[in-house]
């Protein structure tokens, strides 16, 4: 989990969006779906996309290839924001630590993090750069030795993970929250 970089537009609440993608070796998962969500978010904010779908895929592939991964899996974070009427971009690639299968078979520890943020329906449509609350939640979980934190809104409802997507496995079926709860639909 990268440190709190004050150069990160998400730490400065810039007007923009971000996407995090999973790379397994050189293969980046769900690129078209991530591009669609990124583009939808930019459109909702009135920001023109700096890439076509094809260019987006090419830039991500080049970024992952140039990164010397220490592990099989990498996270690719793409940020697009508007600052002083100019569109800016940033792509970060970082290794994900290998997790033992046994650790996940028994489950992981999470911290319930009470959020003061008001989650709106549109929060589930794109990933806003207003993610300081998610970063604080994740860091609080890590400080307690947990894998992540689950954010709880002011009504007591679990709305999202700090850095993960929330699923429940029931009768061999994966269940996530329904649209309209302010929870982001998971892609990878």
């Amino acid at each position: 989990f990268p440190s709190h970089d004050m150069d990160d537009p998400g730490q400065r609440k810039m007007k923009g969006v971000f996407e995090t993608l999973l790379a397994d070796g050189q293969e980046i998962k769900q690129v078209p779906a991530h591009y669609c969500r990124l583009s939808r978010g930019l459109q909702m904010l009135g920001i023109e996309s700096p890439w076509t779908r094809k260019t987006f895929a090419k830039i991500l592939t080049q970024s992952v290839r140039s990164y010397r991964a220490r592990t099989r899996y990498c996270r690719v974070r793409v940020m697009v924001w508007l600052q002083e009427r100019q569109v800016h971009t940033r792509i970060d690639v970082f290794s994900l630590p290998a997790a033992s299968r046994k650790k996940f078979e028994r489950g992981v520890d999470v911290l319930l993090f009470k959020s003061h943020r008001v989650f709106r329906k549109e929060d589930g449509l794109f990933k806003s750069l207003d993610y300081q609350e998610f970063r604080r939640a994740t860091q609080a979980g890590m400080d307690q030795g947990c894998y992540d934190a689950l954010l709880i809104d002011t009504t007591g409802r679990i709305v999202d993970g700090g850095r993960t997507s929330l699923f429940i496995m029931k009768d061999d079926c994966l269940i996530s929250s329904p649209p309209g709860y302010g929870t982001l639909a998971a892609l990878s």
Side-chain angles (χ1 to χ4, degrees), residues 167-176:
F167 293 96
I168 296 171
M169 180 73 129
K170 183 177 181 183
D171 300 326
D172 292 330
C173 184
L174 285 176
I175 302 168
S176 64

Side-chain angles (χ1 to χ4, degrees), residues 98-105:
S100 72
R101 183 180 179 122
K102 285 186 178 191
K103 178 179 180 179
F104 286 98
E105 283 176 351

Side-chain angles (χ1 to χ4, degrees), residues 101-114:
R101 183 180 179 122
K102 285 186 178 191
K103 178 179 180 179
F104 286 98
E105 283 176 351
R106 72 162 180 80
V108 294
D109 294 324
V110 295
L111 173 75
L112 295 179
F113 184 85
K114 193 165 208 166

Side-chain angles (χ1 to χ4, degrees), residues 136-147:
R136 279 195 293 275
T138 298
Q139 191 61 54
M142 292 172 65
D143 290 349
Q144 296 287 324
C146 298
Y147 180 75

Side-chain angles (χ1 to χ4, degrees), residues 5-140:
D5 178 357
M6 289 314 290
D7 204 26
D8 179 340
Q11 292 297 325
R12 295 183 281 139
K13 291 187 151 189
M14 303 301 287
K15 180 180 177 181
V17 298
F18 77 103
E19 283 292 322
T20 51
L21 298 90
L22 176 66
D24 180 352
Q26 298 293 312
E27 181 189 356
I28 305 167
K29 305 291 186 177
Q30 301 289 326
V31 174
H34 283 282
Y35 178 80
C36 285
R37 186 168 60 190
L38 180 112
S39 296
R40 181 177 56 237
L42 290 170
Q43 185 178 19
M44 290 176 76
L45 294 174
I47 301 172
E48 189 173 330
S49 178
W51 306 294
T52 64
R53 184 183 306 228
K54 187 176 178 180
T55 306
F56 181 71
K58 185 177 179 180
I59 288 170
L60 293 181
T61 300
Q62 289 171 344
S63 297
V64 169
R65 284 187 181 149
S66 66
Y67 180 75
R68 300 214 190 282
R70 295 179 302 275
T71 61
R72 175 180 169 181
Y73 296 103
C74 292
R75 179 167 286 155
V76 182
R77 184 175 56 199
V78 179
M79 293 172 274
V80 182
W81 70 97
L82 192 63
Q83 184 176 2
E84 297 174 5
R85 293 184 283 173
Q86 285 191 323
V87 176
H88 298 266
T89 63
R90 177 172 163 172
I91 299 173
D92 295 322
V93 181
F94 49 94
S95 296
L96 292 175
S100 72
R101 183 180 179 122
K102 285 186 178 191
K103 178 179 180 179
F104 286 98
E105 283 176 351
R106 72 162 180 80
V108 294
D109 294 324
V110 295
L111 173 75
L112 295 179
F113 184 85
K114 193 165 208 166
S115 175
H116 299 289
R117 179 177 170 164
V118 176
F119 291 87
R120 306 167 315 238
K121 182 178 179 178
E122 57 269 19
D123 289 336
L125 299 175
F126 66 95
K127 293 173 97 170
S128 163
L129 276 177
D130 182 11
Y131 58 74
Q132 287 179 325
E133 190 83 347
F134 294 88
R135 281 266 179 101
R136 279 195 293 275
T138 298
Q139 191 61 54

